[in-house]
Amino acid sequence: MKSKFISVFIICLALVIQVHAQSVIKGTVLDKESDTPLPGASIVPNGNSSLGSISAADGTFTLTVPEEKGEIWISFIGMEPKAVPYNGDATLTVYMEVAAHQLDEVVMIGYGSSRKEDLTSSVSSVAGVEQINNRAVTNLNDFLQGSVPGVTVLQQGGDPSAQSQIVIRGIGSFANETPLTVVDGVPYYGPAINPNDIASISILKDASAAAIYGAQAASGVIVIETKKGKLGGPEITFDTYVGVQQAGNLPTPLTAQQQSEVYNLAADNAGVERQAAHNATLNPWGQVNRTNWVDEIFREAAIYNANLNVSGASENVRYMSSVGYQKKEGVLVGTDYERLNARLKVDFFLTDKIEVGENVYFSHTNAVGTNSTSSYSGSIINAIYMPSAAPVYDENGNFHGVVPESLSDYAGAYGDVYNPVGQLLRPTVDNPVNYLNSNTYFKYDILDGLTFKSTLSASVSSSKYKKFSPKIPELGRTNLQNYLYQEYSNTNRWNWENQVTYQKSFGKHNLNLTGIYSAQKTNYESYYQEGRGFSSEAAFNQFMGNASEIFTPVTDVYEDALTSAIGRVMYNYANKYFVSASVRRDETSRLAIANQASVFPSVSGAWKISEEPFFSSNIFSHMKVRASWGRIGNINSVGYYSFDVPLSTQNVIIGEDGALNDRGVYAGRQSNPDLEWEISESSDFGFDASFLNNKVDLTFDYFVKTTKGMILPGLEDLHQGTAAPDVNGGEVQNKGIELSIGYNGQAGPVKVGVRGNINIMKNELVNLDGYNNSDIDFISHTDDVRSILRPYRSTVGQPLYATYLVPYEGIFQSQAEIDSYTKDGQLIQPNAQPGDFKFTDVNGDGSITDDDRVYMDSYMPDFTYGLNLTLGYKGFDASMIFQGVSGVKVFNGYKFTAYNASQSGYNLDNRVLDAWSVDNINADIPRLSTKDDNSNFSTPSSWYLEDASYVRLKNLTIGYTFPSIGGLKNFRVYAAGENLFTITNYSGMDPEVGGKGLDVAKYPVARTFTVGLSLTL
């Protein structure tokens, strides 16, 4: 009994001693930059994670530890970890600073997030997102240009109604290859969101990273997280800028006198009679220079942008609301863009386990653009065509024609030309698009580490287009009919996702399991109507019911459904060995029942070498190698009803009255019930590192991306009388390397940042198996210049959309050169004269024909690059962004009409004054002639193909942030410029022509100057 008492006493004494030895540590974790609490920071005492804790919503924490002395380790994703010593009971205030190197940052991935240093697949986090508020960009695409290796942004010129195209790791299909956009975890299909709402951007580039999004992610995924409220009272931020846009490097038309001189010389060279319109005695009116039409259609255009953001958070709610407005005039008169948007984002923390939230976004846009791609009626090419002798308006204030009515006999000598200003200002255009998107979620923490989340997203998009085109009575391209075009379309879409996530650590084993079921449906309907013959062109009469003739309406409708089941496992051991795998089953309504469903797997792994005991380096602080493989189906390539194409209808004439008023039904395209999924398969091998005490970070990737079973329209059999069905007909491969390297350092008060990236890639059409049964290994594309020059063809062994041209060797300088260019004693170019082009007889048959065409480069660049420089000194900051491409080839079809005197008498570019003559033998423009007997211009030759490589100062910003003023938390002013200069050898207005690289005076990208301010209350 006594021994038992002694034992109990000893145990109690030990417990008392232990209690007295314990220390209680309280503290608050704050963001040093904003002085706001950091909830969720990890606090570990003396390396013992079992006694650790995390900071509460207000940043506070409490620890009870057995040691009287020691240190606590505080870490927070995106911040530099910090060790803080303690001695007995203590109350601490800990300020955390942003991590000095990129590998510590958190990046958004599919249905979750990860530290960059833990990634096993190719995911790029876009740097400098905080600068997006300071740049005059209309949408995210413009901001991404040159920022991320492997991401090519193809500007479609400067038209305010056009949006640039994003290509991730090369073109792999002839179909739509728009990357999937995910906003706050939910797929987003609406118009470009307000850039000011964006907090972070991640790009999922390989199939392993994107596979979890399945059928819509074959072209990559752009993951956007919008801003959210921070703990504390309401924070109000206002950002605004105003500026002006200018177009540079514009062409110059011939003056009135020069146009007459050029056409007189061209007639002499052709051996034909000069036209009376160019005779100064007969037509003195045509010798007076009245208008530079290029100057008339271009303007200095205003741009204005404003955003208001109110955000905050408490223990139970977090909110962010924003309103934005942008007005952007186009540099061509009559074109503009306007956007009004609003967002409300609220999260409610009902209990410590239940969270619900709502994210509502509304956008209203109205964009008016113009056609600058047509070689017949493009807005800019018409400004070259129009004679400089003609004024903009006549004496009555109406648009003037090519000549006055009194000189109508001379009108034909100047061609069928629109008045360029009238072409832009005469039509009345309204193009509003309203979009509403709502995401509602419910999140429940079932058990420790086990979470369920259900998200329902619904969106409605309503688009209207109305264009009234009045009569064109003036001489030139006269049209005495007026027209009204109207179109309405509505898209309704819902998407429901249910996600279960289990995340747990077992010693050194860290596991993350995710299971998702997703269903979505889309309903679309459009209606198009055309009417003509309006008795009055006043605004009150521009309605369809007032047309004297109404055409049969055109309608379109479809339903689209997709269901998916997804599973993913992510595992790492001791933060050294990482493995991730996913599998997704997609089922689409776009294929026949037997082929609707398919399974797409992916796997990836990484080895963090820097965590190994043997790793010891004075240079490298982090080193990791990774590899991944995955397959994704491409739903965007599949037509909605390719497996069962609906019948087509049109008006037909039946009966003796000859009226086109009966409806006919016919099979316009064949169906293909055997059509299968187009598959995108990719492999990636990567290396990540940071060195020099984390001041420098580097990422390298080698990738191979292959599209298999490419879906495209089959080759038509003209004997069947219908268009061929869609088929699985080919394979495309893209392979390349990507490199990104960045430096962030500080010397005293000076902060310096440098980040560069480069992407080198090769694109190849591997085969066209299944495209046709005739062993034809190419696809001819219909892009053309005035239906004469068709330069593009995709063929096996070449890149997609390669140029297919006759080689151009130069200009014949003498008759002797022509006479010596023979085959078996016969002239190869018998119609040539000195000053005409010399072409290569590739096949050696003694003549220049289409059989002499060879494959040349495409518009896709050999490599792209970007360089971002930042500098900070006390309150001052400056940044520069350079962006460039190399190996880009543009087919400059502008030369066909702007340098060609054998057309319809159009005015020409003044560069023809430097055309070849006996006194100007070093020219690269052929002799002037009203005949093209040698086919100088009508031959699709390499003379049109130009190197459009360029380097551009994309952005320059200089700003100053004032010290605290009154109640302002932040007050910054800045000046910025976009597209300030471009270094290029391309002879056109701008090397960024978009599309396949065909330029016939494309709307140029503008240079923009802005001043702005940002303030926070």
Side-chain angles (χ1 to χ4, degrees):
M1 183 71 180
K2 182 178 179 180
S3 61
K4 289 183 178 180
F5 176 79
I6 294 172
S7 298
V8 171
F9 176 79
I10 293 172
I11 292 171
C12 291
L13 180 63
L15 289 173
V16 170
I17 294 172
Q18 182 178 10
V19 168
H20 279 287
Q22 288 178 336
S23 298
V24 177
I25 304 166
K26 299 180 180 181
T28 305
V29 184
L30 301 172
D31 181 338
K32 184 176 181 180
E33 182 177 353
S34 63
D35 199 32
T36 56
L38 287 177
S42 173
I43 298 100
V44 178
N46 303 310
N48 188 346
S49 59
S50 63
L51 297 177
S53 180
I54 61 173
S55 58
D58 59 357
T60 60
F61 65 89
T62 300
L63 296 176
T64 302
V65 296
E67 297 87 359
E68 290 189 10
K69 294 183 179 181
E71 67 177 16
I72 60 172
W73 184 259
I74 299 133
S75 60
F76 187 83
I77 293 176
M79 300 286 186
E80 291 284 5
K82 179 173 276 190
V84 180
Y86 71 91
N87 187 354
D89 294 347
T91 299
L92 307 172
T93 300
V94 182
Y95 287 96
M96 306 292 287
E97 298 185 59
V98 176
H101 66 102
Q102 295 291 319
L103 294 172
D104 270 342
E105 71 176 293
V106 177
V107 295
M108 305 302 296
I109 59 175
Y111 297 99
S113 62
S114 172
R115 289 195 308 168
K116 187 173 182 179
E117 67 175 18
D118 295 342
L119 293 171
T120 58
S121 52
S122 183
V123 179
S124 290
S125 179
V126 181
V129 175
E130 66 280 357
Q131 300 175 18
I132 200 169
N133 299 346
N134 308 330
R135 294 185 54 186
V137 293
T138 303
N139 53 62
L140 173 64
N141 297 9
D142 298 340
F143 178 77
L144 289 178
Q145 192 169 28
S147 299
V148 182
V151 178
T152 303
V153 179
L154 300 176
Q155 294 281 359
Q156 306 302 305
D159 191 317
S161 66
Q163 185 167 323
S164 52
Q165 176 188 1
I166 293 181
V167 177
I168 298 177
R169 291 189 168 177
I171 296 175
S173 175
F174 293 114
N176 179 10
E177 287 218 304
T178 303
L180 174 68
T181 300
V182 175
V183 178
D184 292 328
V186 180
Y188 177 81
Y189 307 96
I193 71 170
N194 180 10
N196 196 271
D197 284 349
I198 297 174
S200 68
I201 309 164
S202 299
I203 312 290
L204 314 186
K205 296 189 289 188
D206 67 358
S208 172
I212 196 166
Y213 287 112
Q216 303 168 93
S219 302
V221 183
I222 301 172
V223 182
I224 297 172
E225 183 182 26
T226 60
K227 295 174 181 176
K228 59 181 69 174
K230 297 179 180 179
L231 193 66
E235 182 176 86
I236 302 173
T237 301
F238 178 70
D239 298 281
T240 186
Y241 63 77
V242 295
V244 62
Q245 304 165 89
Q246 301 171 342
N249 195 35
L250 298 178
T252 303
L254 294 170
T255 65
Q257 301 92 331
Q258 290 170 344
Q259 182 177 6
S260 291
E261 292 168 1
V262 162
Y263 272 97
N264 287 335
L265 176 60
D268 295 344
N269 288 340
V272 299
E273 185 179 354
R274 295 182 176 187
Q275 293 197 46
H278 299 303
N279 185 312
T281 302
L282 298 176
N283 182 23
W285 180 91
Q287 303 297 311
V288 179
N289 199 61
R290 296 177 178 85
T291 310
N292 182 318
W293 287 99
V294 172
D295 289 345
E296 289 294 333
I297 64 171
F298 280 95
R299 64 181 172 182
E300 285 196 344
I303 182 172
Y304 172 73
N305 189 85
N307 290 277
L308 180 66
N309 183 296
V310 180
S311 63
S314 65
E315 185 176 349
N316 298 319
V317 65
R318 180 174 60 206
Y319 61 91
M320 188 279 287
S321 62
S322 68
V323 177
Y325 175 77
Q326 184 177 73
K327 175 71 174 180
K328 181 179 181 180
E329 294 180 342
V331 291
L332 281 178
V333 297
T335 63
D336 61 20
Y337 172 86
E338 186 175 32
R339 181 187 68 224
L340 175 66
N341 56 268
R343 182 182 297 275
L344 177 62
K345 182 179 180 181
V346 186
D347 305 300
F348 296 97
F349 307 98
L350 302 181
T351 70
D352 59 351
K353 289 181 174 290
I354 298 176
E355 177 183 341
V356 296
E358 179 82 10
N359 190 342
V360 180
Y361 180 69
F362 171 77
S363 170
H364 169 84
T365 60
N366 200 327
V368 178
T370 186
N371 177 6
S372 63
T373 60
S374 171
S375 51
Y376 293 99
S377 57
S379 299
I380 300 174
I381 198 70
N382 259 273
I384 297 295
Y385 293 165
M386 190 72 174
S388 298
V392 178
Y393 301 99
D394 63 21
E395 62 275 9
N396 297 316
N398 300 316
F399 292 113
H400 199 282
V402 292
V403 295
E405 292 289 341
S406 60
L407 299 176
S408 59
D409 289 346
Y410 297 140
Y414 294 102
D416 54 340
V417 187
Y418 291 113
N419 180 307
V421 177
Q423 184 183 17
L424 288 164
L425 297 183
R426 180 182 272 126
T428 302
V429 181
D430 190 31
N431 186 26
V433 178
N434 293 313
Y435 178 81
L436 179 64
N437 175 258
S438 174
N439 300 328
T440 305
Y441 76 89
F442 169 83
K443 184 178 179 182
Y444 178 52
D445 295 332
I446 303 171
L447 299 170
D448 183 28
L450 181 63
T451 303
F452 168 76
K453 183 177 182 181
S454 181
T455 304
L456 178 63
S457 172
S459 65
V460 178
S461 179
S462 174
S463 175
K464 297 181 180 180
Y465 178 79
K466 182 178 181 180
K467 179 180 180 180
F468 184 81
S469 294
K471 298 175 182 178
I472 305 174
E474 64 267 14
L475 295 172
R477 199 161 184 174
T478 304
N479 188 343
L480 299 180
Q481 186 61 269
N482 48 32
Y483 300 86
L484 177 63
Y485 311 93
Q486 282 190 267
E487 183 174 11
Y488 304 90
S489 66
N490 286 283
T491 305
N492 299 314
R493 178 183 280 110
W494 60 261
N495 180 52
W496 189 17
E497 295 183 340
N498 294 283
Q499 175 181 348
V500 177
T501 302
Y502 180 71
Q503 186 171 357
K504 196 70 174 177
S505 295
F506 307 93
K508 295 184 178 181
H509 302 274
N510 302 290
L511 183 66
N512 186 308
L513 302 175
T514 301
I516 303 161
Y517 182 80
S518 172
Q520 68 177 56
K521 186 175 182 182
T522 303
N523 291 281
Y524 171 85
E525 184 175 0
S526 70
Y527 180 94
Y528 173 81
Q529 182 76 67
E530 179 180 339
R532 68 181 183 184
F534 292 82
S535 58
S536 171
E537 295 183 346
F540 70 83
N541 202 52
Q542 295 176 10
F543 295 93
M544 195 61 68
N546 297 322
S548 61
E549 182 179 2
I550 297 178
F551 293 87
T552 303
V554 178
T555 61
D556 188 21
V557 62
Y558 67 78
E559 291 184 325
D560 184 30
L562 178 70
T563 59
S564 308
I566 309 118
R568 179 179 66 189
V569 56
M570 297 192 302
Y571 168 81
N572 81 73
Y573 175 74
N575 200 34
K576 289 189 291 188
Y577 313 111
F578 298 80
V579 175
S580 178
S582 71
V583 61
R584 175 167 177 144
R585 181 185 184 274
D586 282 321
E587 186 170 355
T588 176
S589 63
R590 300 191 189 188
L591 296 170
I593 293 176
N595 300 322
Q596 283 183 344
S598 193
V599 176
F600 307 106
S602 74
V603 63
S604 60
W607 175 28
K608 197 181 293 184
I609 303 172
S610 54
E611 294 295 321
E612 295 289 355
F614 63 77
F615 184 86
S616 177
S617 172
N618 295 325
I619 299 176
F620 289 91
S621 20
H622 169 85
M623 184 181 296
K624 180 183 70 178
V625 293
R626 50 185 166 76
S628 64
W629 172 90
R631 301 180 71 193
I632 311 176
N634 184 7
I635 194 65
N636 295 325
S637 65
V638 187
Y640 295 107
Y641 301 105
S642 294
F643 68 97
D644 188 12
V645 179
L647 294 174
S648 302
T649 63
Q650 72 176 44
N651 281 1
V652 296
I653 298 174
I654 299 178
E656 298 179 354
D657 60 358
L660 190 67
N661 56 7
D662 289 292
R663 297 293 285 168
V665 179
Y666 66 100
R669 177 178 292 276
Q670 300 174 48
S671 302
N672 183 1
D674 299 322
L675 195 67
E676 299 179 347
W677 286 84
E678 178 180 291
I679 303 296
S680 177
E681 181 176 298
S682 72
S683 301
D684 186 279
F685 303 92
F687 173 78
D688 303 317
S690 64
F691 44 95
L692 299 181
N693 197 27
N694 289 329
K695 291 182 179 179
V696 180
D697 64 88
L698 178 148
T699 299
F700 172 85
D701 283 274
Y702 169 77
F703 67 89
V704 179
K705 174 185 172 184
T706 305
T707 301
K708 300 180 178 180
M710 179 173 58
I711 294 178
L712 69 163
L715 187 65
E716 291 187 26
D717 183 347
L718 299 180
H719 295 89
Q720 293 181 336
T722 60
D726 290 340
V727 297
N728 296 104
E731 181 175 319
V732 178
Q733 186 178 86
N734 292 277
K735 57 183 178 181
I737 60 173
E738 301 167 357
L739 176 65
S740 174
I741 186 167
Y743 167 81
N744 285 287
Q746 185 167 349
V750 179
K751 296 180 180 180
V752 178
V754 181
R755 177 159 298 278
N757 68 80
I758 187 171
N759 171 52
I760 303 172
M761 191 184 66
K762 180 182 179 182
N763 172 273
E764 181 183 351
L765 178 59
V766 178
N767 66 60
L768 282 173
D769 296 348
Y771 169 58
N772 64 86
N773 297 318
S774 306
D775 296 325
I776 295 175
D777 64 351
F778 66 85
I779 298 173
S780 294
H781 301 289
T782 57
D783 307 70
D784 67 78
V785 180
R786 296 185 77 89
S787 304
I788 295 174
L789 303 177
R790 290 187 172 88
Y792 297 106
R793 178 182 282 192
S794 296
T795 195
V796 173
Q798 298 291 331
L800 294 182
Y801 309 117
T803 48
Y804 186 55
L805 308 169
V806 176
Y808 154 79
E809 295 187 16
I811 293 179
F812 287 116
Q813 300 296 329
S814 65
Q815 187 62 44
E817 288 186 14
I818 299 171
D819 293 341
S820 64
Y821 192 41
T822 61
K823 170 71 174 180
D824 298 330
Q826 300 295 319
L827 292 178
I828 293 176
Q829 293 181 234
N831 296 321
Q833 295 185 36
D836 283 337
F837 284 158
K838 179 181 180 181
F839 303 111
T840 303
D841 181 18
V842 174
N843 65 355
D845 67 352
S847 61
I848 304 299
T849 65
D850 273 356
D851 294 333
D852 294 309
R853 297 169 75 167
V854 297
Y855 290 98
M856 299 184 183
D857 290 336
S858 73
Y859 184 60
M860 287 301 294
D862 293 334
F863 64 90
T864 63
Y865 53 92
L867 178 65
N868 190 331
L869 308 173
T870 59
L871 180 69
Y873 175 74
K874 296 184 178 179
F876 293 94
D877 64 89
S879 64
M880 299 175 69
I881 301 174
F882 291 91
Q883 173 261 331
V885 301
S886 183
V888 170
K889 300 296 182 181
V890 166
F891 189 85
N892 191 354
Y894 172 81
K895 296 177 179 179
F896 179 83
T897 48
Y899 296 177
N900 185 359
S902 67
Q903 287 288 302
S904 302
Y906 304 134
N907 198 9
L908 305 174
D909 189 299
N910 75 345
R911 278 173 279 196
V912 299
L913 298 176
D914 194 39
W916 186 95
S917 69
V918 293
D919 298 320
N920 186 33
I921 62 173
N922 294 320
D924 63 355
I925 298 175
R927 67 189 181 94
L928 295 169
S929 176
T930 56
K931 293 182 178 180
D932 191 23
D933 294 335
N934 188 57
S935 299
N936 295 325
F937 292 95
S938 60
T939 299
S941 74
S942 59
W943 176 68
Y944 292 104
L945 194 65
E946 296 189 32
D947 181 9
S949 303
Y950 69 87
V951 60
R952 172 170 281 167
L953 178 54
K954 194 68 182 173
N955 174 264
L956 170 64
T957 301
I958 299 174
Y960 179 74
T961 301
F962 291 88
S964 297
I965 301 175
L968 295 179
K969 296 180 182 178
N970 177 73
F971 181 47
R972 179 175 181 268
V973 295
Y974 63 90
E978 294 280 327
N979 307 313
L980 291 182
F981 68 78
T982 303
I983 301 173
T984 182
N985 291 324
Y986 181 58
S987 68
M989 286 183 290
D990 191 274
E992 290 191 273
V993 300
K996 300 180 181 68
L998 178 61
D999 185 14
V1000 285
K1002 189 71 173 285
Y1003 202 129
V1005 176
R1007 181 168 51 240
T1008 306
F1009 302 92
T1010 57
V1011 292
L1013 65 85
S1014 176
L1015 59 88
T1016 302
L1017 298 173

